[in-house]
């Protein structure tokens, strides 16, 4: 087969067409790349150009076929009025939860994403990356899903109790956060980026049941995904934890790519939903990428590729590449995808 | 069934179903008719929490259900506690818990706390984003049996060996257990922790095992 560009390869894998080799997508390299170039997170928001250059540096070394151009996935949390702490390394933490009760929710107003300094910075970073590598690479932006956003606004433990104490209140909060994220998606997609990866860690298989996932996460994420798709964007989805028992429900969201947590067996996922969507994963980010050696990474990457036969599969990590992960371990992917199946 | 037995059964099922109103009502009734408050906890509430813990381990219930059950238990305990003479309280051991520095994800730690308390352990909760010194000082001052630390982020997990090292340097005699998303048994072995648990239910079993219970 003729050699494809990274972008052609990534899209062919999404469309389940033939590929010259399996593509790679981290899926989340942003914070890791900033730390690798010793660029403090606060500075990276102030200086989108440096933030973009950090991504180009690691992409040149690791030869990713696709990558995130926005990693500040919780930006709406601050725009909605929560206090946050922006650390030097890694993602911002939510320090206060503004929705103390239904009366507060009633008074809340939708933020304008164009006025959100973090989203604006991410847009600038994205534009620079599109200019520099956008023809060659598949580029996507990272954004929170409605259920996880409600968890940040309300506090995750409060939300967990609300699910049974006051489901109507939960649905009201979800409708609000869905609206917020539809607006954000529309704004982000106006950059012309290839797609958005939606993340729902609080709908994790380790926190809520399949029934609650169906009730409180699935359809709301679907609404946000529709906005992305209506603007000709590809939808990628990442959910943390062991979601083996709800893969069918996840497939019903009809994302183009489902990025697995390393706790889900790739072979099981392939057999269950592999005919419906492309899978991304699934190298263990802590044990293998962070703590392991290039040899460990190569072995695990090979085993991942064997499990999917390299069809409808993008090789990547089972969650974020943690800041401090040795680049030698990530560079191995370009070797793994060249090996014969 | 004797009324006493009935009360224990009702307390247990109130905890299992997460019905805090029933738990409160039953605890009040127990006091009214003069049933030993401490026995109500040990024979009613605590076994109820054990059932929930087992179901969680089998993925039959999830975090919302555990939190509801814990709330029911704690509200009943608040009613029973003033009626328990201090001398009759036995503790199965003392545990210090915390989420390591740089990490604010504390649901897992909170679940471990709830289940450990329900199992009769005395828990000192240091909260989240806890610096190394705080773990060590507390373990020393409180002469705890176990230090339990958790991390959800790989970047904070790497603070764990420092705590173990510092405990050893200062000759603090306690066991160390770890948990959280990125952590594994092999990581526990590599940093010299005494144990690892994949979830809160397994953590309570581990604590029991390490303390020879």
């Amino acid at each position: 087969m003729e050699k494809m560009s990274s972008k052609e390869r990534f899209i062919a894998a999404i469309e389940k067409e033939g590929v010259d080799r399996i593509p790679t997508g981290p899926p989340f390299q942003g914070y890791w790349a900033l730390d690798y170039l010793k660029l403090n997170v606060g500075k990276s928001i102030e200086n989108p150009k440096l933030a973009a250059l950090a991504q180009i540096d690691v992409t040149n070394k690791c030869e990713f076929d696709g990558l995130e151009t926005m990693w500040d996935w919780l930006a709406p949390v601050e725009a909605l009025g929560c206090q946050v702490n922006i650390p030097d390394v890694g993602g911002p933490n939510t320090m206060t939860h503004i929705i103390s009760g239904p009366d507060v929710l009633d008074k809340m107003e939708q933020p304008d994403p164009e006025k959100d300094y973090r989203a604006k910075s991410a847009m600038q970073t994205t534009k620079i990356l599109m200019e520099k590598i956008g023809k060659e690479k598949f580029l996507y932006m990272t954004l929170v899903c409605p259920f996880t956003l409600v968890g940040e606004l309300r506090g995750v433990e409060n939300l967990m109790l609300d699910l049974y104490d006051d489901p109507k209140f939960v649905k009201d909060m979800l409708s609000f956060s869905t609206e917020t994220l539809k607006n954000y998606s529309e704004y982000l997609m106006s950059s012309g980026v290839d797609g958005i990866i939606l993340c729902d860690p609080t709908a994790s298989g380790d926190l809520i049941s399949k029934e609650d996932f169906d009730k409180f996460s699935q359809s709301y994420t679907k609404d946000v995904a529709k906005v992305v798709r209506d603007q000709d964007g590809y939808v990628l989805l990442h959910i943390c934890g062991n979601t083996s028992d709800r893969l069918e429900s996840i497939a019903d969201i009809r994302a183009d790519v489902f990025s697995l947590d390393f706790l889900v067996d790739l072979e099981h996922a392939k057999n269950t939903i592999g005919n419906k969507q492309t899978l991304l994963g699934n190298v263990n980010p802590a044990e293998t990428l962070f703590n392991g050696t290039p040899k460990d990474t190569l072995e695990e990457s090979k085993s991942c590729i064997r499990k999917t036969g390299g069809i409808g599969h993008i090789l990547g990590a089972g969650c974020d590449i943690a800041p401090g992960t040795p680049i030698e371990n990530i560079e191995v992917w370009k070797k793994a995808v060249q090996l014969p199946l | 069934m004797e009324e006493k037995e009935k009360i224990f059964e009702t307390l247990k099922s109130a905890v299992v179903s997460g019905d805090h109103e029933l738990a409160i009502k039953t605890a009040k009734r127990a006091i009214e008719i003069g049933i030993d408050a401490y026995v109500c906890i040990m024979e009613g509430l605590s076994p109820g929490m054990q059932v929930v813990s087992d179901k969680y381990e089998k993925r039959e219930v999830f975090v919302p259900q555990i939190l509801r059950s814990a709330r029911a238990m704690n509200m009943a305990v608040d009613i029973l506690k003033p009626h328990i003479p201090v001398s009759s309280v036995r503790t199965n051991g003392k545990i210090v818990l915390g989420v390591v520095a740089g990490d604010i994800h504390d649901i897992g730690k909170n679940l471990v706390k709830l289940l450990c308390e329900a199992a009769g352990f005395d828990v000192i909760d240091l909260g989240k984003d806890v610096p190394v010194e705080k773990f060590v000082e507390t373990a020393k001052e409180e002469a705890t049996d176990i230090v339990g630390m958790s991390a959800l982020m790989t970047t904070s997990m790497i603070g764990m060996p420092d705590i173990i090292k510092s405990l050893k340097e200062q000759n603090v005699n306690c066991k160390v257990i770890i948990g959280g998303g990125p952590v594994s048994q092999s990581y526990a072995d590599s940093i010299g922790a005494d144990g690892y648990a994949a979830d809160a239910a397994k953590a309570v079993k581990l604590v029991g095992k390490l303390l020879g219970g």
Side-chain angles (χ1 to χ4, degrees), chain B residues 100-164:
Chain B
V100 298
D103 211 326
I104 60 157
H105 300 88
D106 60 354
I107 288 194
K109 183 268 296 168
N110 293 346
L111 295 180
V112 173
K113 177 188 175 187
L114 292 170
L115 296 183
C116 280
E117 282 178 342
F121 296 101
D122 196 0
V123 178
I124 302 165
D125 182 5
L126 298 179
K128 51 198 175 187
D129 194 12
V130 180
V132 175
E133 309 80 54
K134 187 78 192 159
F135 276 104
V136 180
E137 271 167 30
T138 314
K140 215 173 177 176
E141 280 165 17
E142 300 280 343
T144 51
D145 302 294
I146 289 185
V147 169
M149 43 198 184
S150 81
L152 189 75
M153 287 150 63
T154 312
T155 38
S156 29
M157 166 184 97
I158 53 176
M160 290 177 169
D162 296 339
I163 298 169
I164 295 179

Side-chain angles (χ1 to χ4, degrees), chain B residues 7-172:
Chain B
I7 293 249
F8 296 158
E9 268 314 301
T10 312
L11 284 172
K12 183 175 165 184
S13 68
V15 168
V16 172
S17 61
D19 185 344
H20 62 273
E21 279 162 15
L22 181 63
I24 290 170
K25 205 177 94 189
T26 314
K28 283 184 179 156
R29 175 78 188 144
I31 299 299
E32 241 172 61
I33 61 172
I35 302 177
D36 185 324
Y38 184 65
V39 183
C40 283
I41 296 177
M42 299 319 286
E43 301 289 323
L45 299 174
S46 188
M49 213 55 206
Q50 182 58 50
V51 171
V52 177
S53 178
D54 291 344
K55 283 177 175 240
Y56 173 65
E57 204 177 349
K58 286 186 249 162
R59 293 176 69 86
E60 287 170 16
V61 302
F62 291 79
V63 173
Q65 291 81 6
I66 299 191
L67 293 177
R68 285 168 63 79
S69 295
R71 177 174 64 184
M73 164 150 186
N74 289 336
M75 287 173 116
V77 166
D78 285 344
I79 290 163
L80 296 168
K81 226 178 191 168
H83 302 274
I84 302 173
V86 178
S87 60
S88 69
V89 179
R90 277 184 313 118
T91 167
N92 292 331
K94 208 189 248 184
I95 308 162
V96 170
L97 289 178
V99 179
V100 298
D103 211 326
I104 60 157
H105 300 88
D106 60 354
I107 288 194
K109 183 268 296 168
N110 293 346
L111 295 180
V112 173
K113 177 188 175 187
L114 292 170
L115 296 183
C116 280
E117 282 178 342
F121 296 101
D122 196 0
V123 178
I124 302 165
D125 182 5
L126 298 179
K128 51 198 175 187
D129 194 12
V130 180
V132 175
E133 309 80 54
K134 187 78 192 159
F135 276 104
V136 180
E137 271 167 30
T138 314
K140 215 173 177 176
E141 280 165 17
E142 300 280 343
T144 51
D145 302 294
I146 289 185
V147 169
M149 43 198 184
S150 81
L152 189 75
M153 287 150 63
T154 312
T155 38
S156 29
M157 166 184 97
I158 53 176
M160 290 177 169
D162 296 339
I163 298 169
I164 295 179
K165 198 171 140 232
S166 187
L167 284 167
K168 281 202 179 119
E169 277 169 6
Q170 302 196 35
N171 294 316
V172 184

